[in-house]
Amino acid sequence: MNQVIEETKIWQMMGTTITLQVGHEEPSRLLAELGEWLHVYEHRFSAHDATSELMAINQAAGRQAVIVHPELFELIKLGKAHSCARNSYLNIAIGPVVQKWHIGFEDALVPTKAEITELLPLTDPHQIQLDEKMKTVFLTKPGMMIDLGALAKGYIADKLITHCRERNAAFALVNLGGNIVVFGESPRRSDGAWRIGLRNPKGSREESLAVVKLSNQSLVTSGIYERYLQNGSSVYHHIIDPKTGFPVKNDVASLTILSDSSVDGEIWTTRLFGASSLEVLKALEEQPGIEGAVVTKENQFLYTKGFEKI
Ligand code: ADP
Ligand code: MG
């Protein structure tokens, strides 16, 4: 093998900062390919771009089934299963309510209870009809909308890492605005493990609460501090309780999941985000293959037994 060269590239995309760091014989070429993939994936999964592949499903709601790319089908199928699970706070059919709030955008506003109540019947994930053989998706009622904002970055991060493996990269770090996946050995450390700082929800972006060791794993954090809308003294963040249509209310400020795949990290951060910190910890301990940590609004730091903190 020729010499491994390290290179890093940064993009502003998908409403966030994306950083890809690779070790490869031809890192510029690999990074250029990954950049092309980022555009393909943004176009596939975006709920904000009127021309995206996902949007075609939403625009045909109540009218017809749409044939979709197998990857889009796969993520919707996975998302539907976890949206229909008992006590899940994840609901990929939450689109109409998310669009109403528009948190993270300039025209965000606090909707009335009546407006939300009217939209809730359009957010039933059971009404997402999937045809495995035809690879079609049909939203049965007009006005329904799938939003993959909670899952897409994890799914994409996993795909980018697979691409790095297939291109024989020596190592890679994918950071999609806080969704981090690492592959291979860190060039910085003699033990080869990557070390990622967990942000203190109340501190500055650089201030970390703990450092986590990663090896071919993903670290995903969902927090109430990333995107929010301030209205007088009230703060509304961007994770919506599917039952009420209003931001979840609990004692959790941020929830971090350590897992092999990043889409699992995404699924579980959102599935559990509305639960209390103790319920979250209990659910994480019961779920095989994932570990996690919670920072409460009172600044308590709780984590599962297998969470490798240093
Ligand atoms: P980010 O990494 O952008 O902070 P998260 O992974 O925490 O995003 O997911 C938040 C996004 O998911 C929201 O911006 C919205 O598009 C969507 N969303 C909000 N509430 C829910 C929910 N209960 N279920 C599924 N998706 C949601
Ligand atoms: Mg998420």
Short mmCIF file of all heavy atoms in Angstrom, two decimals, residues 16 19 31-32 37 91 160 186-187 215 238 262-263 295 310:
data_model
loop_
_atom_site.label_atom_id
_atom_site.label_comp_id
_atom_site.label_asym_id
_atom_site.label_seq_id
_atom_site.Cartn_x
_atom_site.Cartn_y
_atom_site.Cartn_z
N THR A 16 -26.38 22.41 8.62
CA THR A 16 -25.37 22.20 9.65
C THR A 16 -23.96 22.21 9.05
O THR A 16 -23.79 22.39 7.85
CB THR A 16 -25.65 20.86 10.39
OG1 THR A 16 -24.85 20.79 11.55
CG2 THR A 16 -25.36 19.66 9.51
N THR A 19 -18.13 17.80 8.62
CA THR A 19 -16.68 17.66 8.55
C THR A 19 -16.33 16.21 8.25
O THR A 19 -16.79 15.31 8.95
CB THR A 19 -16.02 18.05 9.89
OG1 THR A 19 -16.52 19.32 10.28
CG2 THR A 19 -14.51 18.12 9.76
N LEU A 31 -12.47 12.49 -0.89
CA LEU A 31 -13.32 13.55 -0.32
C LEU A 31 -14.26 14.14 -1.38
O LEU A 31 -15.41 14.47 -1.08
CB LEU A 31 -12.47 14.64 0.32
CG LEU A 31 -11.85 14.26 1.67
CD1 LEU A 31 -10.78 15.25 2.09
CD2 LEU A 31 -12.91 14.15 2.76
N ALA A 32 -13.76 14.25 -2.60
CA ALA A 32 -14.62 14.78 -3.67
C ALA A 32 -15.78 13.82 -3.93
O ALA A 32 -16.93 14.24 -4.10
CB ALA A 32 -13.80 14.98 -4.95
N TRP A 37 -21.66 12.35 -2.91
CA TRP A 37 -22.65 11.53 -2.20
C TRP A 37 -23.50 12.38 -1.26
O TRP A 37 -24.71 12.18 -1.15
CB TRP A 37 -21.97 10.41 -1.41
CG TRP A 37 -21.64 9.23 -2.24
CD1 TRP A 37 -20.39 8.75 -2.56
CD2 TRP A 37 -22.56 8.36 -2.91
NE1 TRP A 37 -20.48 7.66 -3.37
CE2 TRP A 37 -21.81 7.39 -3.61
CE3 TRP A 37 -23.96 8.32 -2.99
CZ2 TRP A 37 -22.40 6.39 -4.38
CZ3 TRP A 37 -24.55 7.31 -3.76
CH2 TRP A 37 -23.78 6.37 -4.43
N ASN A 91 -41.71 9.83 15.52
CA ASN A 91 -42.82 9.68 14.58
C ASN A 91 -42.44 10.36 13.27
O ASN A 91 -42.45 11.58 13.17
CB ASN A 91 -44.10 10.30 15.16
CG ASN A 91 -45.26 10.19 14.19
OD1 ASN A 91 -45.11 9.61 13.11
ND2 ASN A 91 -46.40 10.74 14.55
N LEU A 160 -21.69 6.96 4.30
CA LEU A 160 -20.39 7.57 3.95
C LEU A 160 -19.25 6.71 4.48
O LEU A 160 -18.22 6.53 3.82
CB LEU A 160 -20.30 8.99 4.51
CG LEU A 160 -21.27 10.02 3.93
CD1 LEU A 160 -21.06 11.38 4.58
CD2 LEU A 160 -21.12 10.15 2.41
N SER A 186 -7.49 5.89 14.93
CA SER A 186 -7.16 7.31 14.96
C SER A 186 -5.65 7.49 14.76
O SER A 186 -4.85 6.84 15.43
CB SER A 186 -7.56 7.89 16.32
OG SER A 186 -6.91 9.12 16.49
N PRO A 187 -5.26 8.38 13.84
CA PRO A 187 -3.83 8.59 13.60
C PRO A 187 -3.16 9.32 14.76
O PRO A 187 -1.94 9.36 14.86
CB PRO A 187 -3.81 9.43 12.32
CG PRO A 187 -5.14 10.13 12.30
CD PRO A 187 -6.11 9.21 12.98
N SER A 215 -14.46 3.33 18.87
CA SER A 215 -13.71 2.49 17.96
C SER A 215 -14.70 1.85 16.98
O SER A 215 -15.52 1.03 17.40
CB SER A 215 -12.96 1.46 18.80
OG SER A 215 -12.59 0.39 18.00
N HIS A 238 -36.84 21.90 19.18
CA HIS A 238 -37.27 21.32 17.90
C HIS A 238 -37.67 19.85 17.94
O HIS A 238 -37.90 19.25 16.90
CB HIS A 238 -36.17 21.54 16.87
CG HIS A 238 -34.97 20.68 17.07
ND1 HIS A 238 -34.38 20.51 18.30
CD2 HIS A 238 -34.24 19.94 16.21
CE1 HIS A 238 -33.35 19.72 18.17
NE2 HIS A 238 -33.25 19.35 16.93
N SER A 262 -24.96 4.57 13.16
CA SER A 262 -25.41 5.90 13.52
C SER A 262 -26.92 6.02 13.39
O SER A 262 -27.55 6.79 14.12
CB SER A 262 -24.71 6.93 12.62
OG SER A 262 -24.78 8.20 13.19
N VAL A 263 -27.52 5.24 12.49
CA VAL A 263 -28.97 5.33 12.37
C VAL A 263 -29.62 4.80 13.64
O VAL A 263 -30.66 5.31 14.09
CB VAL A 263 -29.48 4.63 11.07
CG1 VAL A 263 -29.48 3.13 11.17
CG2 VAL A 263 -30.87 5.13 10.71
N VAL A 295 -27.77 14.27 29.99
CA VAL A 295 -27.51 15.43 30.84
C VAL A 295 -28.87 16.03 31.15
O VAL A 295 -29.65 16.29 30.23
CB VAL A 295 -26.62 16.48 30.14
CG1 VAL A 295 -26.35 17.66 31.07
CG2 VAL A 295 -25.31 15.86 29.67
N ILE A 310 -13.91 8.63 29.61
CA ILE A 310 -12.57 8.69 30.21
C ILE A 310 -12.30 10.06 30.82
O ILE A 310 -13.05 10.99 30.58
CB ILE A 310 -11.46 8.38 29.16
CG1 ILE A 310 -11.80 9.01 27.81
CG2 ILE A 310 -11.31 6.88 29.01
CD1 ILE A 310 -10.77 8.84 26.76
#
